[in-house]
Amino acid sequence: MLIVLAGTIGAGKSSLAAALGEHLGTEVFYEAVDNNPVLDLYYQDPKKYAFLLQIFFLNKRFKSIKEAYKADNNILDRSIFEDELFLKLNYKNGNVTKAELDIYQELLANMLEELEGMPKKRPDLLIYIDVSFEKMIERIEMRGRSYEQIEGNPDLYTYYKQVHGEYPEWYENYDVSPKMTIDGNHLDFVQNSNDLDQVLQMIDEQLKELDLIK
């Protein structure tokens, strides 16, 4: 099976992916953040680096999802299906041009078409972690990446607010695979082991309903 996680910045995707990978005994493919040569530049100058950043992410996610599709059991802590959300937001903010948007969307469509020829054509389950804006900011502060901090770049507050606001509609429209929601406000699976156990049980129940585990 292939499980993909989704959610806004700081939702806890990587933490849940790691726990779920250990729980199910499967490999986890993580978002290319720590070794990303463009991400820090983007936070400094979104208009200059937005398109390059999204192409970088698209390339890395396409590689990850192809590798995941070839194996029996894998987890992606963010997938190619969310990427367009960020590109469209940068287009709304004037950070990418209409030509760049069109090129990106054509490239994404070609990539998704190629995935149709893979042994597995789509994920088995998408897990969306729903958190409040306040929880999102709390998690971003807690993980401590300097370029993500509002204190050093007050404009990020507006950007984070925009990103958070895009997700409900994106999740509602997502129809590539079965999906489920985890309430990341009331179930603090990052800090609370009991909450994590409850979340893993919820996921197990969903996987059983889909006949993916016994």
Side-chain angles (χ1 to χ4, degrees), residues 14 36 85 92 96 100 133 157 175 194 206 209:
S14 296
N36 186 330
L85 179 156
K92 289 179 184 178
V96 300
E100 289 171 329
F133 179 69
Y157 183 90
D175 61 359
N194 291 329
Q206 185 67 40
E209 286 185 18

Side-chain angles (χ1 to χ4, degrees), residues 42-209:
Y42 168 76
Y43 277 97
Q44 295 175 39
D45 191 346
K47 189 174 290 292
K48 184 175 181 180
Y49 291 104
F51 184 69
L52 179 60
L53 177 66
Q54 292 309 131
I55 292 297
F56 176 89
F57 275 132
L58 187 63
N59 181 49
K60 293 296 184 180
R61 291 200 229 289
F62 185 58
K63 179 180 179 182
S64 292
I65 202 167
K66 284 199 302 180
E67 292 175 359
Y69 273 23
K70 292 176 182 177
D72 289 335
N73 295 298
N74 284 301
I75 297 166
L76 293 168
D77 78 331
R78 191 193 287 277
S79 74
I80 198 171
F81 305 107
E82 286 174 80
D83 272 22
E84 192 175 6
L85 179 156
F86 289 91
L87 198 284
K88 285 182 175 179
L89 181 56
N90 275 293
Y91 175 66
K92 289 179 184 178
N93 290 339
N95 295 328
V96 300
T97 65
K98 182 62 165 62
E100 289 171 329
L101 176 64
D102 291 342
I103 290 169
Y104 179 92
Q105 289 178 322
E106 182 178 355
L107 178 60
L108 175 61
N110 287 338
M111 288 178 167
L112 293 176
E113 185 176 330
E114 184 170 330
L115 291 179
E116 287 295 317
M118 300 290 291
K120 179 181 287 292
K121 299 184 183 301
R122 59 190 57 84
D124 294 294
L125 178 65
L126 177 132
I127 302 170
Y128 172 59
I129 305 169
D130 185 21
V131 296
S132 67
F133 179 69
E134 291 72 23
K135 178 63 72 173
M136 169 187 173
I137 296 301
E138 177 188 317
R139 293 258 177 86
I140 290 172
E141 291 175 348
M142 184 172 63
R143 70 186 181 189
R145 293 173 185 154
S146 58
Y147 54 81
E148 290 183 336
Q149 302 309 310
I150 294 172
E151 184 178 355
N153 185 356
D155 291 341
L156 285 177
Y157 183 90
T158 301
Y159 173 67
Y160 289 153
K161 196 76 173 176
Q162 289 178 310
V163 171
H164 185 268
E166 293 289 326
Y167 265 91
E169 183 178 357
W170 175 85
Y171 178 69
E172 183 178 345
N173 293 332
Y174 175 85
D175 61 359
V176 178
S177 70
K179 58 187 180 181
M180 67 177 293
T181 302
I182 299 297
D183 186 341
N185 294 313
H186 294 98
L187 293 170
D188 187 1
F189 54 83
V190 177
Q191 298 288 330
N192 188 310
S193 60
N194 291 329
D195 284 355
L196 176 59
D197 289 341
Q198 185 175 342
V199 168
L200 294 176
Q201 183 178 350
M202 292 167 60
I203 295 171
D204 281 347
E205 290 171 358
Q206 185 67 40
L207 294 175
K208 288 175 182 176
E209 286 185 18

